């Protein structure tokens, strides 16, 4: 049917965007790449896991930033040879990567299994509890972190150049975006969407709903862990405060700004957030109207409110609507043929 | 290829020595203090077309839920094809060849009509957790397309189920239930809310099912029930009060009493 052309257009747009992003470091200042864009991509990657779970599974998770942090802490513990905190296992960086991802995935499996029988508000609350517990685990167990966290974490030599982190985050983001979208059309992904709509029916069709939800959460945790690794390489350190309630909520806000039902929205929201937090203070006269660093959250809040009022589907929702607009005149034309046909049929029925 | 996975015994329905397809023994279900089922015994032979009638609150749907595994009975046993499945979760029942529809159409609103049927097939052919698409999925998808056409939804393959009209949702539910070639097909008020033309469709569809398929039907529409069913069971207050051939039950004074006394639909 005609649905082929929007698919191609979307693919072409994505390919063009990726080409632009690959070429970007040779065009724009290094600060924009290494600070704004790298952060955008890794936060977007983590936010995309919120979108994945919410969009397909109807599970709004507040534990994604915790898993993002678990990967970072585990990498720090395994990779560091000496330091005041952590296990200082001194492993090879790539062994530490494997370890961090394994622990994150296992933690996600356990936490996901515990939450797999809850839905809706309870899922949100339970994952919030995970986030809080996670914070205290790393804040209080000094063997693996302690309140001041793990510092001077080195990244693998392969990624020594700052721009390589940008490319890593870009590659992972593209893979996650394509992977999540493709998964939505497989048996696993369709079943997850079925469970979002009616879990009881899915069970009577032969699906193990709790296991399915657990596996989805595990996958989300794994991908969040990938983002967490980029984060810890980028930051060079990690402490419990960086995975506390504040950052946890910011990740949710990023997903909401972008639009929770669009994967694009995760990165869009992350870009808006990072750009605002980076450039707001540089705007001319901004402090004259009372917006100072301390009031940053107020500005973010106001912007979230504005977006929610304008488009409950977030920025990606606005973009989607704008994109659909030019094609609209064509649709009634195609539809009207059907309508005419139906009208003729109705007329014939009346005649009879 | 996808159908006929297990050869069905060529035995006549009700052949002596054959285990009943569905065997319900002394099933009681209590919801708190309320006894929804007060000891039900029911045997259903292979290929039988059984209608369960009764006023609202008689326990028909509860009995369905017990047989389909959505409710574990408080006491008593349920066996399908001779396998005791009293405590088997509902997700294991499709493997026994049980498929059902619900009183209120339960479709996956956000998914297309074809995807709804595809999920029924994926659940049956153990592809629940396959995270890629292969040739098998293409075949299942083709099969889903055929099923969708067979329930007269061919023009709505890509329509989200949530956008279907009520009657179309019922057709889709039926499609999801028959897609897997079940041995036991359980339909909970399939005709409710359907127009007359749609009811004709439904009866036609049920008539077209293979002889070997056992059909259990809850129905308020007597016309549909008596046209489809060869045997009728009447329930009231969690008990079976009458059973037999349609004419027999229609003439039963007890049945009249129940229906007249309950101000229910007749």
């Amino acid at each position: 049917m005609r649905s082929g052309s929007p698919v191609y257009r979307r693919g072409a747009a994505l390919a063009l965007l990726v080409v632009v992003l690959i070429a970007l470091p040779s065009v724009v200042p290094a600060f924009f790449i290494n600070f704004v864009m790298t952060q955008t991509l890794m936060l977007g990657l983590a936010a995309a896991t919120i979108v994945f779970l919410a969009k397909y599974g109807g599970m709004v998770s507040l534990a994604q930033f915790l898993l993002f942090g678990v990967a970072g802490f585990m990498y720090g513990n395994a990779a560091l040879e000496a330091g005041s905190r952590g296990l200082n296992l001194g492993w090879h960086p790539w062994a530490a990567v494997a370890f961090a991802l394994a622990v994150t995935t296992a933690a996600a499996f356990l936490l996901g299994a515990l939450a797999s029988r809850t839905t809706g508000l309870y899922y949100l609350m339970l994952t919030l509890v995970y986030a809080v517990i996670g914070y205290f685990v790393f804040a209080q167990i000094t063997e693996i972190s302690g309140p001041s966290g793990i510092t001077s974490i080195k990244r693998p030599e392969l990624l020594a150049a700052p721009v390589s982190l940008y490319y890593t985050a870009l590659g992972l983001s593209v893979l996650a975006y394509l992977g999540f979208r493709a998964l939505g059309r497989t048996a696993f992904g369709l079943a997850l969407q079925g469970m979002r709509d009616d879990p009881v029916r899915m069970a009577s069709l032969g699906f193990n709903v709790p296991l399915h939800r657990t596996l989805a959460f595990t996958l989300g945790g794994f991908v969040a862990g990938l983002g967490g690794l980029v984060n810890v390489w980028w930051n060079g350190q990690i402490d419990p405060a960086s995975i506390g309630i504040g950052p946890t909520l910011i990740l949710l806000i990023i997903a909401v700004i972008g639009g929770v039902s669009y994967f694009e929205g995760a990165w869009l929201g992350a870009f808006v957030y990072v750009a605002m937090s980076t450039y707001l203070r540089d705007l001319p006269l901004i402090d004259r109207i009372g917006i100072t660093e301390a009031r940053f959250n107020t500005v973010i809040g106001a912007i979230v409110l504005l977006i929610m009022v304008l488009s409950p589907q977030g920025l990606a929702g606005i973009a989607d609507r704008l994109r659909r607009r030019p094609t609209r005149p064509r649709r009634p034309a195609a539809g009207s043929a059907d309508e005419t046909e139906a009208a003729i049929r109705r007329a014939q029925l009346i005649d009879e | 290829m996808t159908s006929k996975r297990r050869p069905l015994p060529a035995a006549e329905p009700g052949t002596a020595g054959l285990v009943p397809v569905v065997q319900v023994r002394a099933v009681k279900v209590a919801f708190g203090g309320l006894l929804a089922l007060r000891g039900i015994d029911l045997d259903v032979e292979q290929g039988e077309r059984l209608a369960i009638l009764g006023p609202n609150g008689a326990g028909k749907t509860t009995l369905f839920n017990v047989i389909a595994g959505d409710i574990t009975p408080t006491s008593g046993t349920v066996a399908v094809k001779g396998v005791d499945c009293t405590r088997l979760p509902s997700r294991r029942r499709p493997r026994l060849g049980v498929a059902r529809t619900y009183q209120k159409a339960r479709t996956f609103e956000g998914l297309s009509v074809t995807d709804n049927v595809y999920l029924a097939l994926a659940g049956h052919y153990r592809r629940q957790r396959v995270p890629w698409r292969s040739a098998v999925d293409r075949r299942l998808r083709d099969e889903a397309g055929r099923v969708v056409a067979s329930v007269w939804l061919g023009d709505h393959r890509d329509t989200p189920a949530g956008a279907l009209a009520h009657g179309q949702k019922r057709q889709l539910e039926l499609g999801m239930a028959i897609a897997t070639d079940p041995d036991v097909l359980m339909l909970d008020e399939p005709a409710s809310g359907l127009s007359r033309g749609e009811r004709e469709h439904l009866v036609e569809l049920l008539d077209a099912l293979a002889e070997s398929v056992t059909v259990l039907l809850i129905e308020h529409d007597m016309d549909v029930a008596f046209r489809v069913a060869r045997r009728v069971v009447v329930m009231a207050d969690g008990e079976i009060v009458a059973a037999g051939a349609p004419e027999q039950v229609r003439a039963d004074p007890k049945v009249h009493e129940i229906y007249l006394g309950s101000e229910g639909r007749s």
Side-chain angles (χ1 to χ4, degrees):
Chain A
M1 291 228 296
R2 280 183 303 128
S3 65
S5 79
V7 171
Y8 285 126
R9 232 182 303 149
R10 186 191 274 272
L14 178 69
L16 187 69
L17 180 65
V18 171
V19 168
V20 168
L21 288 175
I22 289 173
L24 206 59
S26 51
V27 188
V28 300
F31 173 79
F32 183 74
I33 293 297
N34 298 332
F35 196 84
V36 177
M37 287 311 288
T38 307
Q39 227 181 329
T40 294
L41 289 168
M42 69 197 194
L43 285 175
L45 193 57
T49 66
I50 293 185
V51 175
F52 165 64
L53 293 172
K55 178 184 163 79
Y56 288 164
M59 311 182 277
V60 181
S61 165
L62 283 173
Q64 299 315 105
F65 211 75
L66 165 67
L67 295 163
F68 183 86
V70 168
F73 277 114
M74 289 306 123
Y75 178 83
N77 273 300
L80 236 61
E81 282 168 34
S84 52
R85 303 273 175 209
L87 296 170
N88 297 323
L89 296 175
W91 291 357
H92 188 276
W94 292 110
V97 167
F99 173 71
L101 288 175
V103 173
T104 308
T105 310
F109 183 82
L110 284 176
L111 297 178
L114 262 171
S116 65
R117 283 169 202 280
T118 57
T119 50
L121 188 59
Y122 301 99
Y123 202 88
L124 191 79
M125 291 310 294
L126 200 54
T127 49
L128 177 64
V129 169
Y130 291 165
V132 174
I133 291 175
Y135 167 79
F136 282 112
V137 163
F138 288 111
Q140 298 192 343
I141 302 179
T142 48
E143 284 76 13
I144 55 171
S145 161
S148 52
I150 301 174
T151 50
S152 43
I153 298 168
K154 299 248 179 336
R155 50 186 186 247
E157 268 170 48
L158 188 67
L159 304 173
V163 77
S164 63
L165 271 190
Y166 167 73
Y167 283 120
T168 307
L170 178 60
L172 291 174
S173 292
V174 171
L175 278 181
Y177 176 80
L178 294 176
F180 280 145
R181 287 184 63 99
L183 192 65
R185 296 186 293 273
T186 65
F188 181 86
L190 285 169
L192 194 58
Q193 296 169 68
M195 286 163 201
R196 170 201 63 200
D197 292 347
D198 192 338
V200 175
R201 186 75 172 109
M202 283 306 285
S204 80
L205 289 178
F207 289 81
N208 186 335
V209 176
L211 177 62
H212 217 94
R213 287 200 182 123
T214 304
L215 292 177
F217 190 83
T218 308
L219 176 65
F222 173 79
V223 176
L226 291 172
L229 281 174
V230 178
N231 173 58
V232 80
W233 292 332
W234 182 77
N235 256 319
Q237 55 120 10
I238 185 163
D239 60 63
S242 69
I243 62 160
I245 290 296
T248 292
L249 291 179
I250 282 168
L251 195 68
L252 186 66
I253 286 171
I254 284 174
V256 170
I257 294 179
V260 197
S261 45
Y262 299 90
F263 286 113
E264 301 87 330
W267 286 276
L268 204 57
F271 180 73
V272 169
Y273 176 80
V274 175
M276 277 198 309
S277 63
T278 311
Y279 293 116
L280 204 59
R281 73 193 70 148
D282 296 339
L283 286 180
L285 305 176
I286 193 87
D287 45 350
R288 294 277 182 81
I289 55 169
I291 297 172
T292 56
E293 197 104 41
R295 294 190 180 146
F296 176 65
N297 281 339
T298 314
V299 178
I300 291 275
I303 287 170
V304 171
L305 207 62
L306 191 68
I307 290 171
M308 287 300 95
V309 169
L310 291 175
S311 165
Q313 295 296 317
L315 288 172
I318 297 178
D320 201 30
R321 260 186 283 162
L322 290 177
R323 203 175 44 200
R324 273 159 205 251
R325 192 166 290 169
T327 65
R328 202 170 284 164
R330 258 188 262 158
R331 257 186 212 169
S336 66
D338 294 351
E339 270 162 30
T340 326
E341 212 173 288
I344 292 170
R345 228 180 291 138
R346 270 199 299 276
Q348 281 170 342
L349 281 176
I350 293 166
D351 281 351
E352 282 164 18
Chain B
M1 116 245 63
T2 44
S3 56
K4 292 307 145 260
R5 65 210 173 276
R6 66 177 92 74
L8 288 155
E12 298 289 324
T15 305
L18 211 79
V19 192
V21 172
V22 177
Q23 220 171 1
V24 177
R25 285 284 169 274
V27 160
K28 283 186 190 165
V29 172
F31 296 122
L34 177 82
L35 261 179
L37 295 181
R38 302 164 180 271
I40 297 282
D41 289 292
L42 182 68
D43 280 351
V44 188
E45 305 292 337
Q46 190 192 350
E48 210 178 345
R49 306 291 150 101
L50 174 76
I52 303 173
L53 306 182
N56 290 328
K60 305 182 297 289
T61 298
T62 307
L63 178 60
F64 253 42
N65 284 338
V66 167
I67 298 173
D70 288 325
I71 292 178
T72 307
T74 314
S75 66
T77 60
V78 178
V80 173
K81 293 197 219 159
V83 180
D84 182 354
C85 56
T86 314
R87 312 213 155 262
L88 205 63
S90 65
R91 67 164 196 274
R92 296 275 172 77
R93 306 287 167 114
R95 273 180 228 171
L96 291 169
V98 179
R100 75 168 294 185
T101 67
Y102 288 81
Q103 194 170 357
K104 199 169 153 267
R106 299 185 90 147
T107 55
F108 308 118
E109 309 267 289
L111 297 177
S112 75
V113 165
T114 311
D115 284 340
N116 270 267
V117 177
Y118 167 76
L119 280 179
L121 290 165
H124 183 78
Y125 291 99
R126 308 253 191 121
R127 297 193 61 80
Q128 291 97 325
R129 287 181 285 277
V130 179
W132 54 75
R133 298 222 289 182
S134 68
V136 180
D137 292 285
R138 253 197 312 282
R139 279 206 299 276
L140 290 186
R141 211 158 263 288
D142 289 345
E143 175 72 23
R146 273 195 292 280
V147 172
V148 168
S150 79
V151 291
W152 296 282
L153 288 172
D155 293 342
H156 299 280
R157 277 173 218 276
D158 300 320
T159 310
L164 292 178
H166 178 79
Q168 292 172 324
K169 276 189 198 170
R170 293 248 150 216
Q171 281 163 255
L172 173 56
E173 265 235 297
L174 196 62
M176 289 161 75
I178 61 175
T180 57
D181 282 328
D183 298 327
V184 180
L185 181 60
M186 304 175 61
L187 307 171
D188 195 345
E189 295 196 34
S192 83
L194 295 192
S195 68
R196 190 179 307 189
E198 287 166 340
R199 278 166 201 234
E200 285 305 313
H201 265 164
L202 175 71
V203 173
E204 220 177 290
L205 250 173
L206 295 179
D207 280 344
L209 291 172
E211 292 263 311
S212 56
V213 179
T214 310
V215 180
L216 274 72
L217 183 76
I218 295 177
E219 192 48 76
H220 277 306
D221 185 314
M222 294 296 164
D223 183 45
V224 172
F226 285 132
R227 275 170 71 188
V228 173
R230 306 282 171 272
R231 183 159 77 108
V232 175
V233 165
V234 181
M235 288 179 69
D237 287 329
E239 282 173 317
I240 292 178
V241 290
E247 305 74 38
Q248 221 177 320
V249 168
R250 225 197 275 258
D252 192 325
K254 252 191 298 180
V255 175
H256 279 260
E257 196 183 306
I258 288 164
Y259 272 97
L260 291 174
S262 71
E263 306 165 325
R265 293 167 264 181
S266 62

